[in-house]
Amino acid sequence: MRLYLLALNPTDSVTEGFLPAAARLGLDVTLLTDQPEAHRRAGSDIEVLECDVRDFRAVITRISTHHMPDAVFTNSDHLQTQAALAASYFGLPAKDWRTALRVKDKAQMRRHLAASGLDAVWSTELAAGQDPAGLTALDVPYPCVVKPREGVASEDVVLVDSPEDLVLRCKEIQTRRPQTPLVVEEYLAGELYTLETLGDGHVRHILSGFHTQLSPRPYFIEERLVHVPAHPEPVVKQILTQLDALGVGFGVCHTEFVVHDGRARIIEVNYRAIGDQMDLLLARLLDIPLFEHILRTHLGEPLPADLGARTDGAAVVDYPCARRAGILTAAPAAADLVVDGVELTYRPLRALGERHELHHTNRDYIGVLRAVGQDADQRTVERVAADYLAAQRWEIAP
C-alpha cells in the first residue's frame, strides 16, 4: 500500500514517529516536500520527491503522475487543508478540508464558535499591510493577545495592555512578517491545558492531556507540560462539544484550552499530533502503537473500541530555554537514563557552537527532557526530572 506523506521541514514526529510506524505497517512511503535535501540529510531511506506542498493542486498533480495512493497524510499544521483536499480528490479517507481550514485560521475558528452559540470571544483581524493605528478606534478589551492568524509554536504571540502597546507590537510583527494577517483577541484567563484525541469519524478516544506551564508574560512559551491522565468530565464535555461544532472528529487532534471557574474555553486547535516530542512521550506513556493507529485511520481502518492504553503512568516534559541571544558554548549531550524507576530521555535541540537570536517562542528551546514513570507516581517523576536538570549546565556566550 502506498502512503503519501506531506511535510515541510523534518520533524521528530515524522522521522521518529510516523516513518518508523509506516515501516512497521509495511507501507511504501513517498514523502512530498518543498525541502527534499533536508529530509534526505535526516537519514531517511524512503522515496523523497520535491513538490510545492503548500499548493493542493501541485500535490494532486505530483501524486497523479506517480503511483496511485492508498492514503495521503500530513502531521504539519500548515498542510492539513492541502492533504485533506488531495485525499478527497482521490476518494481516500480524510479530514474535512473545511474543518482543517476552519481550525487553522484562528479568526475563522472564533467566528464559527461564536455563530454556534458556544463561545463568543472578542476578536478582530488585521490584514497584511493594514495600518494597526486603526485598532485604537475599536473597543478592544485590555489586556488582549496579538498573534498571527495562522501561526504556530507561540511565534509572535504577545500580550498587550494598552492601545499604544497594541499598535507597537503589531508594527513589530508586520516588520518581521509583512505578508502575515494578524488576529487581536481578548485574553482568556485560566490555567492552560491540552486534550489529545484520536477518532476515525465514528469512534473517538480521549488519549489524555497535559497541564502547560508558560513563560512569564508578555510571551507564551511552553516551558513544561505535566501529564494529566484524565481531565474532569465536565471540562472534557465542554471541549468535545466545541470540537464537534468545529467538525473535528477524524484522525488525531491536539487542542489547547484554558479553564477558569469551571469554564473551558479553546485557545487553539491543532489538527495533528501534539509536537515537540510530546507525541513520542505519549506513545511510550500510554504503551500503545499510537503512530500506527493514526496512520490506520487514514488507510480507512476503524479504530478498536478499546485502545488498551495504560492509565497508571506519570510524565513531565521540560524545555530548557535560551534566555538571551548568542552562541551555545556548553550543554549536556543526549542521554537515556533510568532513575528511581523513571525513564529520562534528554535530547539537545541546538548544537554547540551555533548562534541564535532570541525569539520568545519555542525556537528558543535548547533541549527537551522527557520523564516517564510507568510505575512511579507524579511526585517522583517531577523530582527526578528536576534533579537531572539541576545537575546540567547550559551556557550562552554573547
Side-chain angles (χ1 to χ4, degrees), residues 26-42:
L27 301 177
D28 296 316
V29 178
T30 298
L31 192 150
L32 302 182
T33 178
D34 59 354
Q35 302 176 45
E37 292 308 316
H39 285 273
R40 294 183 182 118
R41 288 195 301 270

Side-chain angles (χ1 to χ4, degrees), residues 1-4 69-74 80 82-97 199-202 250-251 271 294-302:
M1 300 183 78
R2 174 73 53 175
L3 167 69
Y4 283 88
D70 294 287
V72 179
F73 171 78
T74 186
Q80 292 298 330
Q82 294 87 333
L85 285 166
S88 297
Y89 178 85
F90 291 104
L92 301 172
K95 297 168 182 174
D96 187 319
W97 70 266
D200 61 10
H202 303 282
F250 184 87
Y271 213 177
I294 296 170
L295 291 179
R296 284 191 176 109
T297 64
H298 289 264
L299 290 164
E301 299 181 22

Side-chain angles (χ1 to χ4, degrees), residues 284-304:
R284 177 72 185 104
L285 179 67
L286 302 180
D287 197 20
I288 60 173
L290 175 61
F291 296 97
E292 287 93 327
H293 280 314
I294 296 170
L295 291 179
R296 284 191 176 109
T297 64
H298 289 264
L299 290 164
E301 299 181 22
L303 289 167

Side-chain angles (χ1 to χ4, degrees), residues 104-112 121-132 134-135 138 140 145-150 166 170 174 180-185:
K104 176 60 177 170
D105 184 325
K106 294 174 174 59
Q108 186 63 21
M109 183 192 75
R110 291 295 181 211
R111 285 191 291 267
H112 193 85
V121 175
W122 191 98
S123 176
T124 190
E125 290 180 71
L126 190 69
Q130 183 179 349
D131 187 351
L135 296 172
L138 303 179
V140 180
V145 177
V146 178
K147 55 188 175 182
R149 191 182 67 190
E150 300 179 30
L166 175 59
C170 287
Q174 288 177 328
T180 299
L182 303 179
V183 170
V184 179
E185 65 180 34

Side-chain angles (χ1 to χ4, degrees), residues 256-292:
E256 299 180 7
F257 64 96
V258 293
V259 178
H260 182 65
D261 291 338
R263 183 182 183 187
R265 310 182 75 181
I266 286 178
I267 298 296
E268 65 179 38
V269 177
N270 300 287
Y271 213 177
R272 42 89 176 155
I274 186 172
D276 292 319
Q277 301 193 15
M278 297 294 299
D279 45 2
L280 303 175
L281 174 141
L282 200 57
R284 177 72 185 104
L285 179 67
L286 302 180
D287 197 20
I288 60 173
L290 175 61
F291 296 97
E292 287 93 327

